[in-house]
Amino acid sequence: MIYIKFLKSQLTGNIYPQQVNTRPFTADDLADKLRERYGSIAPSVIDDAFRIISDRLAQGYIVSLDRLGTFSLRLGIDKPEAKDFDDVRTQDVKFKGVRFNVAKRVRRNVERQSIHQVKDPVSRVSTTTTRWRVFLAQMLKDSDNLQKSLAQLPVTVSLYRMYTGATDYTARKDLTSLCAKGLLTDISTAHTKMYLIV
């Protein structure tokens, strides 16, 4: 099941759906699931698989995992004004990121899921301190339910928004402020803002 809520764009006034997720499914979560099925060797196998994929991408390979999707490099030129092949050199080519195209099998699986609207039960909370208390209380519940310490639960902007009712802008501002106060540690990747509770 996919859970969504409807939001209104402040820029255009258009209504759009936003996925509501309780928390990201991390490599640690994957390791835990596989450990249940295959024993204690599973986390080592996952680490090796991720390292091999990373190494192959670094060597210029396109990595195609048939049942998951394809990873490929995004490249660009530092001379956007170049119009002729003679104007560019290999040294002008820069790495811009990694592209991921999901496999049809995964896409079909997701498309078959039912979509349900979640009524946002959280009313907007007025101050960063109050929002932090509300958020922390919910994270403590999650910690008990998942039997993990708070330090093991990643914090994302969408998770903070969901638990506090904050807008995207306010959530990002709060999380930056909480990092500055030493309550969170920034563990963001190139594509995802993530934090850990200190």
Side-chain angles (χ1 to χ4, degrees), residues 16-185:
Y16 63 95
Q18 181 183 64
Q19 181 183 355
V20 175
N21 57 342
T22 52
R23 98 174 33 270
F25 184 77
T26 66
D28 288 340
D29 296 326
L30 179 59
D32 289 344
K33 288 283 185 194
L34 293 177
R35 188 183 292 114
E36 290 171 14
R37 293 185 186 185
Y38 304 108
S40 60
I41 194 169
S44 300
V45 173
I46 292 170
D47 288 344
D48 281 349
F50 290 164
R51 184 185 48 74
I52 291 166
I53 290 168
S54 176
D55 288 349
R56 290 300 180 264
L57 282 168
Q59 292 167 11
Y61 284 85
I62 292 174
V63 178
S64 181
L65 307 174
D66 297 337
R67 284 171 256 154
L68 183 63
T70 302
F71 296 89
S72 58
L73 303 180
R74 283 193 313 112
L75 303 172
I77 296 177
D78 263 1
K79 294 181 173 180
E81 71 282 354
K83 305 291 183 199
D84 194 271
F85 288 113
D86 294 334
D87 294 339
V88 293
R89 301 166 300 150
T90 306
Q91 295 90 327
D92 298 325
V93 176
K94 300 295 178 201
F95 170 72
K96 298 288 186 181
V98 175
R99 182 181 295 114
F100 178 72
N101 291 320
V102 69
K104 287 181 184 175
R105 179 178 179 173
V106 175
R107 188 178 288 121
R108 279 195 297 264
N109 187 35
V110 173
E111 286 172 352
R112 282 196 291 261
Q113 301 303 311
S114 57
I115 297 175
H116 301 273
Q117 182 180 356
V118 173
K119 298 294 182 191
D120 194 355
V122 181
S123 57
R124 304 238 185 258
V125 183
S126 58
T127 67
T128 302
T129 305
T130 311
R131 282 189 293 270
W132 174 244
R133 286 187 187 135
V134 168
F135 181 76
L136 201 53
Q138 187 59 52
M139 289 296 283
L140 284 167
K141 286 181 192 171
D142 287 354
S143 172
D144 288 343
N145 292 340
L146 297 169
Q147 297 178 340
K148 290 187 174 184
S149 71
L150 275 178
Q152 293 177 295
L153 301 178
V155 174
T156 62
V157 175
S158 62
L159 187 66
Y160 188 84
R161 276 196 338 248
M162 186 177 76
Y163 287 164
T164 64
T167 63
D168 188 69
Y169 172 79
T170 302
R172 290 175 188 278
K173 195 170 109 184
D174 280 3
L175 292 170
T176 302
S177 168
L178 292 164
C179 273
K181 291 177 182 175
L183 297 169
L184 294 174
T185 302

